Amino acid sequence: MAIPEEFQIQNTIDQRTYLVNGELKPWSGDTTEVFSTISATEAYKPTLLGSIPDMEEKEALEALDAALAAYGKGQGVWPTMHVKDRIECMEVFVSKMKTKREEVVKLLMWEIGKSLPDSRKEFDRTIEYIEDTIEDYKQLDRDAAKFQKQDGVYAHIKRGPLGVVLCLGPYNYPLNETFALLIPAIIMGNTTIFKPAKHGVLLITPLLEAFQSSFPKGVVNIIFGRGRAVAAPIMKTGKVDVLALIGNSKSANALQEQHPKSNRLRLVLGLEAKNPAVILPDADMDLTINEVVAGTTSFNGQRCTALKVVYVHNEAQDVFLKKFSKAIDDLKFGNPWDEGVKLTPLPEPQKPDYIQELIDDALEKGAKIMNDKGGQRTENYIWPAVLFPVTKDMRVYQEEQFGPVIPVVPFSDIEEPLDDMAESNYGQQVSLFGKDVYALAPLIDTLVNLVCRVNLNSSCQRGPDVYPFTGRKDSAQATLSVHDALRSFSIRTFVAFKDNDLNNETIQQLLEAKLSNFVSTDYIL
């Protein structure tokens, strides 16, 4: 099928600049080519999208120095700036970002294979997230624009920045989840070093100028390259105050271990999960099928919030497997811009082989592929295989597959999935399907102590972004929501003084002269 003209790759993007200390600096060193697994020709061939700088320790430390200088031991322009002025900078940025929508959406499709509606949704949701963050920060400052008194001591309590933040985002939501870290980190007064993900990196290119022109120098520094080449040297210096990462726990652990004073390192981590669906005998089967299909196959299962294992009660398994297998086979596969497409090419060239390994291992240990198309291969895809019955000794049960394969586990006693969840390394979310309130009530009361979100007759998801997004055990550290992220990237700090004439007069003069950006009761409209 011909590619619509508006989505064709007319020119490659050879990224030759990086942002450090407020300058878009030219890059003349080694580069890494960026390919899409989507073919632009009838005979299959990966498409060259462009190239990015392959940076090393020298550039990484240059970015760190810029962030340290901008923070200025707490004296920098950005951390001492009045809240309303930081907000104005962010408003300038978001207005410039809006003009790049079509470029970013197109690159989301080509770089990671995200469908056109989902790519547009990711961009629009990110804009909404930034605007909601601005509004929440205004309210945070309004609530703090006062003095309180206890035992003869006044306190003016606000939230202050933590310092230098190293920000590493994921490839599956390279715009939205990355900015869910970066934006609150910036607006709270921290200075940042940002390295885009391996896939979904060129889509940052259209936004470089907006970052460069919207914030004071050194507040946002953007570098490119492999994580071990640029992130590790930064961590080894011990000068990073916050590691903000959405990815896997192995990467997070490796970077933490590089820091010489890990007790001083604040962690904001969104990590892997193995979110289960639990289908009870009385579940509304049509609703359940729709939700579990969406939960297991949305963006090909490449989401930390995806349903990655399905527990189905013996009494419901025959009906579920028959209807679910047909629903999976009825999904439309195609390129991201195709009308009604639900399954799209996988961005990682090696992913189909990995999924095949999981399928082969499960088949060897007694599982069967329940859907007709399960495991069918093309050059850049492998059809989701519904595997049943899956047992604990299978790799597909143990590993977070992060791709199109669906393990289904039968159970007769609800204690079986509950025990599995208690023993799991992960604890992000669960989807619970059923109607009997006498069965649901004790289950909900248990599940909220094993995971951080119980989705009733609904698939797991992150949003709406005003709700807490976090996890237990290896799934997360800190909480990300519009409200919580501002707190994750800041710390309560305050000015205190005893109630006497000298102090009262001094504070009154400070407020009237408006000399301090911190000691202020101004109300931001």
Side-chain angles (χ1 to χ4, degrees):
M1 188 181 289
I3 300 171
E5 187 176 348
E6 62 186 305
F7 303 129
Q8 290 176 15
I9 296 296
Q10 308 292 353
N11 300 296
T12 57
I13 299 174
D14 293 305
Q15 178 57 41
R16 289 288 186 271
T17 56
Y18 62 105
L19 176 60
V20 167
N21 204 32
E23 292 181 48
L24 288 171
K25 298 197 170 189
W27 175 256
S28 56
D30 293 341
T31 59
T32 301
E33 290 183 323
V34 177
F35 285 93
S36 171
T37 60
I38 299 169
S39 181
T41 56
E42 211 162 297
Y44 181 77
K45 181 185 177 185
T47 303
L48 178 65
L49 299 179
S51 63
I52 56 167
D54 188 11
M55 295 180 168
E56 298 288 345
E57 182 174 345
K58 177 177 176 290
E59 293 74 37
L61 296 182
E62 180 187 6
L64 174 62
D65 287 344
L68 286 166
Y71 195 69
K73 301 175 183 175
Q75 300 175 50
V77 170
W78 189 247
T80 60
M81 189 180 283
H82 197 286
V83 169
K84 67 178 175 59
D85 296 324
R86 285 208 294 263
I87 286 172
E88 283 176 11
C89 290
M90 190 61 74
E91 288 172 336
V92 169
F93 171 76
V94 76
S95 67
K96 292 184 176 185
M97 181 176 166
K98 287 177 182 177
T99 67
K100 304 297 183 180
R101 183 177 188 262
E102 295 311 313
E103 292 173 66
V104 174
V105 165
K106 181 177 173 180
L107 286 165
L108 271 167
M109 290 190 291
W110 278 98
E111 284 198 82
I112 63 170
K114 187 163 284 191
S115 70
L116 177 59
D118 283 352
S119 294
R120 286 173 172 162
K121 182 180 176 183
E122 178 163 351
F123 187 92
D124 295 341
R125 180 182 174 187
T126 306
I127 294 292
E128 185 179 346
Y129 183 93
I130 299 173
E131 292 175 339
D132 287 348
T133 297
I134 289 170
E135 288 307 311
D136 206 274
Y137 191 27
K138 286 180 181 178
Q139 190 58 49
L140 182 67
D141 192 71
R142 290 170 191 147
D143 293 342
K146 62 186 179 184
F147 292 82
Q148 52 197 73
K149 185 180 179 184
Q150 184 71 37
D151 296 336
V153 177
Y154 280 104
H156 185 54
I157 307 170
K158 293 189 173 182
R159 297 198 73 90
L162 294 164
V164 174
V165 179
L166 175 60
C167 180
L168 305 168
Y171 82 78
N172 59 335
Y173 287 87
L175 188 71
N176 183 259
E177 291 211 338
T178 299
F179 279 34
L181 299 173
L182 190 59
I183 296 303
I186 294 168
I187 205 169
M188 289 308 295
N190 303 285
T191 60
T192 59
I193 307 150
F194 163 44
K195 188 199 85 68
K198 181 181 179 183
H199 304 287
V201 56
L202 288 175
L203 59 86
I204 298 299
T205 300
L207 304 176
L208 281 176
E209 190 279 330
F211 275 117
Q212 185 263 335
S213 59
S214 302
F215 302 102
K217 68 177 187 177
V219 172
V220 184
N221 303 279
I222 301 176
I223 55 176
F224 302 88
R226 292 170 300 126
R228 66 173 62 96
V230 293
I234 290 172
M235 293 298 289
K236 285 177 183 175
T237 65
K239 295 178 180 178
V240 169
D241 299 290
V242 186
L243 173 61
L245 178 148
I246 295 179
N248 66 69
S249 53
K250 287 181 182 175
S251 301
N253 290 340
L255 283 169
Q256 288 176 62
E257 288 166 7
Q258 304 270 8
H259 200 289
K261 296 181 179 178
S262 57
N263 61 299
R264 289 171 50 177
L265 181 67
R266 178 76 68 96
L267 300 171
V268 182
L269 308 175
L271 305 172
E272 65 264 37
K274 189 84 172 174
N275 292 336
V278 178
I279 301 169
L280 301 177
D282 67 331
D284 180 317
M285 200 49 69
D286 289 337
L287 178 149
T288 299
I289 296 295
N290 288 338
E291 291 293 328
V292 177
V293 167
T296 54
T297 65
S298 179
F299 193 43
N300 302 305
Q302 300 167 122
R303 301 177 301 125
C304 66
T305 56
L307 291 173
K308 299 196 178 80
V309 60
V310 179
Y311 289 90
V312 60
H313 194 277
N314 291 340
E315 293 176 22
Q317 75 182 36
D318 291 343
V319 175
F320 172 78
L321 286 167
K322 183 180 178 182
K323 288 190 171 186
F324 183 66
S325 297
K326 183 181 185 304
I328 293 294
D329 282 351
D330 287 345
L331 295 172
K332 181 179 178 180
F333 172 76
N335 282 326
W337 41 80
D338 294 343
E339 188 74 30
V341 71
K342 296 295 183 184
L343 307 173
T344 53
L346 299 168
E348 297 173 286
Q350 71 277 16
K351 184 57 71 76
D353 287 341
Y354 168 68
I355 298 296
Q356 187 70 57
E357 287 178 20
L358 298 182
I359 294 172
D360 292 345
D361 174 75
L363 295 180
E364 284 173 18
K365 293 171 181 172
K368 293 180 180 177
I369 297 176
M370 306 306 293
N371 56 322
D372 293 337
K373 293 184 182 179
Q376 290 183 8
R377 297 280 297 264
T378 62
E379 292 89 344
N380 56 12
Y381 199 68
I382 182 167
W383 199 274
V386 181
L387 297 172
F388 179 87
V390 165
T391 52
K392 293 183 186 181
D393 60 336
M394 297 175 187
R395 287 179 59 192
V396 75
Y397 174 87
Q398 298 164 359
E399 299 175 23
E400 187 204 27
Q401 64 268 40
F402 218 75
V405 61
I406 305 160
V408 182
V409 180
F411 74 94
S412 56
D413 184 343
I414 192 61
E415 292 300 323
E416 296 168 45
L418 290 179
D419 287 346
D420 289 351
M421 292 173 66
E423 292 167 10
S424 171
N425 291 325
Y426 311 114
Q428 189 198 79
Q429 299 186 32
V430 63
S431 288
L432 180 60
F433 296 92
K435 292 180 285 194
D436 179 2
V437 294
Y438 290 97
L440 291 173
L443 274 179
I444 290 170
D445 289 353
T446 298
L447 289 169
V448 292
N449 297 328
L450 296 175
V451 298
C452 289
R453 175 168 170 163
V454 178
N455 300 277
L456 186 59
N457 294 310
S458 310
S459 62
C460 297
Q461 63 181 77
R462 172 171 176 158
D465 288 323
V466 295
Y467 292 160
F469 180 58
T470 187
R472 300 171 186 267
K473 296 184 274 193
D474 287 344
S475 285
Q477 199 157 334
T479 301
L480 293 172
S481 70
V482 170
H483 180 78
D484 293 299
L486 293 172
R487 288 152 181 81
S488 294
F489 287 101
S490 62
I491 192 165
R492 295 185 89 197
T493 184
F494 63 103
V495 173
F497 55 95
K498 291 180 178 177
D499 182 5
N500 59 44
D501 291 343
L502 173 63
N503 287 335
N504 294 345
E505 185 180 344
T506 302
I507 291 296
Q508 192 65 44
Q509 289 176 0
L510 271 170
L511 291 170
E512 289 172 359
K514 297 186 183 296
L515 294 173
S516 169
N517 289 332
F518 187 91
V519 179
S520 169
T521 54
D522 289 351
Y523 190 90
I524 301 175
L525 297 174

Short mmCIF file of all heavy atoms in Angstrom, two decimals, residues 111-148:
data_model
loop_
_atom_site.label_atom_id
_atom_site.label_comp_id
_atom_site.label_asym_id
_atom_site.label_seq_id
_atom_site.Cartn_x
_atom_site.Cartn_y
_atom_site.Cartn_z
N GLU A 111 9.69 6.10 13.87
CA GLU A 111 10.75 5.61 14.77
C GLU A 111 10.32 4.42 15.62
O GLU A 111 11.10 3.49 15.83
CB GLU A 111 11.22 6.75 15.69
CG GLU A 111 12.11 7.76 15.00
CD GLU A 111 12.88 8.60 16.00
OE1 GLU A 111 13.93 8.15 16.49
OE2 GLU A 111 12.43 9.73 16.29
N ILE A 112 9.10 4.46 16.15
CA ILE A 112 8.71 3.38 17.06
C ILE A 112 7.47 2.62 16.60
O ILE A 112 7.00 1.72 17.30
CB ILE A 112 8.51 3.89 18.51
CG1 ILE A 112 7.36 4.90 18.59
CG2 ILE A 112 9.80 4.50 19.05
CD1 ILE A 112 6.97 5.25 20.02
N GLY A 113 6.93 2.98 15.43
CA GLY A 113 5.80 2.23 14.90
C GLY A 113 4.49 2.48 15.62
O GLY A 113 3.58 1.66 15.57
N LYS A 114 4.35 3.62 16.28
CA LYS A 114 3.10 3.92 17.00
C LYS A 114 2.05 4.40 16.00
O LYS A 114 2.36 5.19 15.11
CB LYS A 114 3.36 4.97 18.07
CG LYS A 114 2.18 5.23 18.99
CD LYS A 114 2.59 5.94 20.27
CE LYS A 114 3.28 5.00 21.24
NZ LYS A 114 3.45 5.59 22.59
N SER A 115 0.80 3.92 16.15
CA SER A 115 -0.24 4.28 15.18
C SER A 115 -0.48 5.79 15.16
O SER A 115 -0.19 6.49 16.14
CB SER A 115 -1.55 3.55 15.52
OG SER A 115 -2.12 4.08 16.71
N LEU A 116 -1.05 6.26 14.06
CA LEU A 116 -1.30 7.70 13.91
C LEU A 116 -2.19 8.25 15.03
O LEU A 116 -1.82 9.27 15.65
CB LEU A 116 -1.92 7.97 12.53
CG LEU A 116 -2.32 9.42 12.23
CD1 LEU A 116 -1.12 10.36 12.33
CD2 LEU A 116 -2.95 9.51 10.85
N PRO A 117 -3.33 7.60 15.35
CA PRO A 117 -4.14 8.15 16.46
C PRO A 117 -3.38 8.15 17.78
O PRO A 117 -3.47 9.11 18.55
CB PRO A 117 -5.34 7.19 16.52
CG PRO A 117 -5.42 6.56 15.17
CD PRO A 117 -4.00 6.46 14.69
N ASP A 118 -2.61 7.09 18.06
CA ASP A 118 -1.87 7.04 19.32
C ASP A 118 -0.71 8.02 19.34
O ASP A 118 -0.35 8.56 20.40
CB ASP A 118 -1.36 5.62 19.58
CG ASP A 118 -2.46 4.68 20.06
OD1 ASP A 118 -3.56 5.16 20.34
OD2 ASP A 118 -2.21 3.46 20.14
N SER A 119 -0.09 8.28 18.19
CA SER A 119 1.00 9.26 18.12
C SER A 119 0.46 10.66 18.37
O SER A 119 1.07 11.46 19.09
CB SER A 119 1.70 9.18 16.76
OG SER A 119 2.35 7.95 16.59
N ARG A 120 -0.68 10.96 17.76
CA ARG A 120 -1.31 12.26 18.01
C ARG A 120 -1.73 12.40 19.47
O ARG A 120 -1.54 13.45 20.08
CB ARG A 120 -2.52 12.43 17.09
CG ARG A 120 -2.15 12.70 15.64
CD ARG A 120 -3.37 12.69 14.73
NE ARG A 120 -3.02 13.13 13.37
CZ ARG A 120 -3.78 12.90 12.31
NH1 ARG A 120 -4.93 12.25 12.45
NH2 ARG A 120 -3.40 13.33 11.11
N LYS A 121 -2.26 11.31 20.00
CA LYS A 121 -2.69 11.32 21.41
C LYS A 121 -1.50 11.54 22.33
O LYS A 121 -1.60 12.28 23.32
CB LYS A 121 -3.37 9.99 21.74
CG LYS A 121 -3.90 9.91 23.16
CD LYS A 121 -4.57 8.55 23.41
CE LYS A 121 -5.03 8.41 24.85
NZ LYS A 121 -5.61 7.08 25.12
N GLU A 122 -0.34 10.92 22.01
CA GLU A 122 0.83 11.09 22.86
C GLU A 122 1.29 12.54 22.87
O GLU A 122 1.62 13.09 23.92
CB GLU A 122 1.98 10.18 22.41
CG GLU A 122 3.23 10.39 23.26
CD GLU A 122 4.26 9.28 23.15
OE1 GLU A 122 3.98 8.24 22.56
OE2 GLU A 122 5.37 9.50 23.68
N PHE A 123 1.29 13.17 21.69
CA PHE A 123 1.71 14.58 21.64
C PHE A 123 0.73 15.45 22.41
O PHE A 123 1.13 16.26 23.26
CB PHE A 123 1.81 15.05 20.19
CG PHE A 123 2.39 16.43 20.05
CD1 PHE A 123 3.75 16.60 19.87
CD2 PHE A 123 1.59 17.57 20.15
CE1 PHE A 123 4.31 17.88 19.77
CE2 PHE A 123 2.13 18.84 20.06
CZ PHE A 123 3.50 18.99 19.87
N ASP A 124 -0.56 15.28 22.13
CA ASP A 124 -1.58 16.14 22.76
C ASP A 124 -1.63 15.92 24.27
O ASP A 124 -1.81 16.87 25.03
CB ASP A 124 -2.95 15.86 22.14
CG ASP A 124 -3.00 16.25 20.66
OD1 ASP A 124 -2.14 17.03 20.22
OD2 ASP A 124 -3.89 15.75 19.95
N ARG A 125 -1.46 14.66 24.67
CA ARG A 125 -1.46 14.36 26.11
C ARG A 125 -0.27 15.01 26.80
O ARG A 125 -0.37 15.45 27.95
CB ARG A 125 -1.43 12.84 26.29
CG ARG A 125 -1.43 12.37 27.73
CD ARG A 125 -1.35 10.86 27.77
NE ARG A 125 -1.20 10.34 29.12
CZ ARG A 125 -0.97 9.06 29.40
NH1 ARG A 125 -0.85 8.19 28.43
NH2 ARG A 125 -0.83 8.68 30.65
N THR A 126 0.86 15.08 26.10
CA THR A 126 2.04 15.71 26.68
C THR A 126 1.84 17.21 26.85
O THR A 126 2.21 17.78 27.88
CB THR A 126 3.27 15.42 25.80
OG1 THR A 126 3.40 14.01 25.61
CG2 THR A 126 4.55 15.95 26.45
N ILE A 127 1.25 17.83 25.85
CA ILE A 127 0.92 19.26 25.96
C ILE A 127 0.00 19.49 27.15
O ILE A 127 0.20 20.40 27.98
CB ILE A 127 0.25 19.78 24.66
CG1 ILE A 127 1.24 19.74 23.48
CG2 ILE A 127 -0.31 21.18 24.87
CD1 ILE A 127 2.38 20.71 23.57
N GLU A 128 -1.04 18.65 27.25
CA GLU A 128 -1.99 18.77 28.37
C GLU A 128 -1.29 18.56 29.71
O GLU A 128 -1.57 19.26 30.68
CB GLU A 128 -3.10 17.73 28.19
CG GLU A 128 -4.21 17.84 29.21
CD GLU A 128 -5.32 16.82 28.99
OE1 GLU A 128 -5.37 16.19 27.91
OE2 GLU A 128 -6.13 16.63 29.92
N TYR A 129 -0.35 17.61 29.74
CA TYR A 129 0.40 17.34 30.98
C TYR A 129 1.20 18.59 31.40
O TYR A 129 1.23 18.94 32.57
CB TYR A 129 1.36 16.16 30.76
CG TYR A 129 2.13 15.77 32.00
CD1 TYR A 129 1.65 14.79 32.86
CD2 TYR A 129 3.33 16.40 32.34
CE1 TYR A 129 2.33 14.43 34.01
CE2 TYR A 129 4.02 16.06 33.48
CZ TYR A 129 3.52 15.07 34.31
OH TYR A 129 4.20 14.74 35.45
N ILE A 130 1.85 19.23 30.45
CA ILE A 130 2.64 20.43 30.77
C ILE A 130 1.72 21.54 31.29
O ILE A 130 2.02 22.19 32.30
CB ILE A 130 3.44 20.91 29.55
CG1 ILE A 130 4.43 19.82 29.08
CG2 ILE A 130 4.21 22.19 29.88
CD1 ILE A 130 5.13 20.15 27.77
N GLU A 131 0.60 21.74 30.61
CA GLU A 131 -0.32 22.81 31.03
C GLU A 131 -0.92 22.50 32.40
O GLU A 131 -1.08 23.41 33.23
CB GLU A 131 -1.40 22.98 29.96
CG GLU A 131 -0.85 23.55 28.67
CD GLU A 131 -1.85 23.64 27.53
OE1 GLU A 131 -2.87 22.92 27.58
OE2 GLU A 131 -1.60 24.42 26.58
N ASP A 132 -1.24 21.23 32.65
CA ASP A 132 -1.76 20.86 33.97
C ASP A 132 -0.69 21.04 35.05
O ASP A 132 -1.00 21.42 36.19
CB ASP A 132 -2.24 19.40 33.96
CG ASP A 132 -3.54 19.23 33.20
OD1 ASP A 132 -4.19 20.24 32.88
OD2 ASP A 132 -3.91 18.06 32.92
N THR A 133 0.56 20.74 34.70
CA THR A 133 1.67 20.92 35.64
C THR A 133 1.82 22.39 36.02
O THR A 133 2.02 22.73 37.19
CB THR A 133 2.98 20.39 35.04
OG1 THR A 133 2.86 18.98 34.83
CG2 THR A 133 4.17 20.65 35.95
N ILE A 134 1.70 23.26 35.03
CA ILE A 134 1.79 24.70 35.30
C ILE A 134 0.69 25.13 36.26
O ILE A 134 0.94 25.85 37.24
CB ILE A 134 1.69 25.49 33.97
CG1 ILE A 134 2.98 25.30 33.14
CG2 ILE A 134 1.44 26.98 34.23
CD1 ILE A 134 2.89 25.84 31.72
N GLU A 135 -0.53 24.66 36.02
CA GLU A 135 -1.66 25.04 36.88
C GLU A 135 -1.48 24.49 38.29
O GLU A 135 -1.78 25.17 39.28
CB GLU A 135 -2.98 24.57 36.27
CG GLU A 135 -3.41 25.35 35.05
CD GLU A 135 -3.45 26.86 35.29
OE1 GLU A 135 -4.04 27.28 36.31
OE2 GLU A 135 -2.87 27.61 34.49
N ASP A 136 -1.00 23.25 38.38
CA ASP A 136 -0.82 22.65 39.70
C ASP A 136 0.28 23.36 40.47
O ASP A 136 0.20 23.53 41.69
CB ASP A 136 -0.50 21.15 39.55
CG ASP A 136 -0.91 20.36 40.79
OD1 ASP A 136 -0.10 20.29 41.73
OD2 ASP A 136 -2.03 19.83 40.82
N TYR A 137 1.32 23.79 39.76
CA TYR A 137 2.42 24.50 40.41
C TYR A 137 1.95 25.87 40.92
O TYR A 137 2.35 26.32 42.00
CB TYR A 137 3.58 24.66 39.43
CG TYR A 137 4.87 25.14 40.07
CD1 TYR A 137 5.15 24.91 41.41
CD2 TYR A 137 5.82 25.82 39.31
CE1 TYR A 137 6.34 25.35 41.99
CE2 TYR A 137 7.02 26.25 39.88
CZ TYR A 137 7.26 26.03 41.21
OH TYR A 137 8.44 26.45 41.78
N LYS A 138 1.08 26.52 40.14
CA LYS A 138 0.50 27.79 40.61
C LYS A 138 -0.24 27.58 41.92
O LYS A 138 -0.09 28.36 42.87
CB LYS A 138 -0.47 28.34 39.56
CG LYS A 138 0.19 28.94 38.33
CD LYS A 138 -0.88 29.46 37.37
CE LYS A 138 -0.26 30.05 36.11
NZ LYS A 138 -1.30 30.51 35.15
N GLN A 139 -1.05 26.51 41.98
CA GLN A 139 -1.82 26.25 43.19
C GLN A 139 -0.92 25.89 44.36
O GLN A 139 -1.17 26.30 45.50
CB GLN A 139 -2.84 25.12 42.93
CG GLN A 139 -3.84 24.95 44.05
CD GLN A 139 -4.64 26.22 44.31
OE1 GLN A 139 -5.18 26.84 43.39
NE2 GLN A 139 -4.70 26.65 45.57
N LEU A 140 0.14 25.14 44.06
CA LEU A 140 1.11 24.78 45.09
C LEU A 140 1.71 26.04 45.71
O LEU A 140 1.87 26.15 46.93
CB LEU A 140 2.21 23.90 44.47
CG LEU A 140 3.30 23.36 45.38
CD1 LEU A 140 2.73 22.36 46.37
CD2 LEU A 140 4.40 22.69 44.55
N ASP A 141 2.04 27.00 44.85
CA ASP A 141 2.64 28.24 45.34
C ASP A 141 1.61 29.10 46.08
O ASP A 141 1.93 29.73 47.09
CB ASP A 141 3.25 29.02 44.17
CG ASP A 141 4.12 30.17 44.65
OD1 ASP A 141 5.22 29.90 45.18
OD2 ASP A 141 3.69 31.34 44.52
N ARG A 142 0.37 29.10 45.59
CA ARG A 142 -0.67 29.87 46.28
C ARG A 142 -0.88 29.34 47.70
O ARG A 142 -0.99 30.12 48.65
CB ARG A 142 -1.99 29.76 45.51
CG ARG A 142 -2.03 30.48 44.18
CD ARG A 142 -3.30 30.08 43.44
NE ARG A 142 -3.27 30.52 42.05
CZ ARG A 142 -3.83 29.86 41.04
NH1 ARG A 142 -4.46 28.71 41.27
NH2 ARG A 142 -3.76 30.33 39.81
N ASP A 143 -0.91 28.01 47.81
CA ASP A 143 -1.14 27.40 49.12
C ASP A 143 -0.01 27.70 50.09
O ASP A 143 -0.21 27.68 51.32
CB ASP A 143 -1.30 25.88 48.98
CG ASP A 143 -2.57 25.50 48.22
OD1 ASP A 143 -3.47 26.35 48.11
OD2 ASP A 143 -2.64 24.35 47.74
N ALA A 144 1.19 27.98 49.54
CA ALA A 144 2.36 28.22 50.40
C ALA A 144 2.60 29.71 50.65
O ALA A 144 3.53 30.06 51.39
CB ALA A 144 3.60 27.59 49.75
N ALA A 145 1.77 30.56 50.09
CA ALA A 145 1.99 32.01 50.21
C ALA A 145 1.45 32.54 51.53
O ALA A 145 0.56 33.39 51.59
CB ALA A 145 1.33 32.72 49.03
N LYS A 146 1.99 32.01 52.62
CA LYS A 146 1.49 32.37 53.95
C LYS A 146 2.55 32.03 55.00
O LYS A 146 3.56 31.39 54.70
CB LYS A 146 0.20 31.59 54.25
CG LYS A 146 0.42 30.09 54.29
CD LYS A 146 -0.88 29.31 54.44
CE LYS A 146 -0.60 27.81 54.45
NZ LYS A 146 -1.82 27.01 54.50
N PHE A 147 2.28 32.45 56.23
CA PHE A 147 3.11 32.11 57.38
C PHE A 147 2.25 31.32 58.36
O PHE A 147 1.05 31.57 58.50
CB PHE A 147 3.64 33.36 58.06
CG PHE A 147 4.64 34.12 57.24
CD1 PHE A 147 4.23 35.01 56.25
CD2 PHE A 147 6.01 33.94 57.43
CE1 PHE A 147 5.14 35.71 55.48
CE2 PHE A 147 6.92 34.63 56.66
CZ PHE A 147 6.50 35.51 55.69
N GLN A 148 2.85 30.36 59.01
CA GLN A 148 2.14 29.66 60.08
C GLN A 148 2.95 29.77 61.37
O GLN A 148 4.15 30.00 61.34
CB GLN A 148 1.86 28.21 59.70
CG GLN A 148 3.04 27.41 59.22
CD GLN A 148 2.60 26.14 58.50
OE1 GLN A 148 2.11 26.18 57.37
NE2 GLN A 148 2.77 25.00 59.16
#
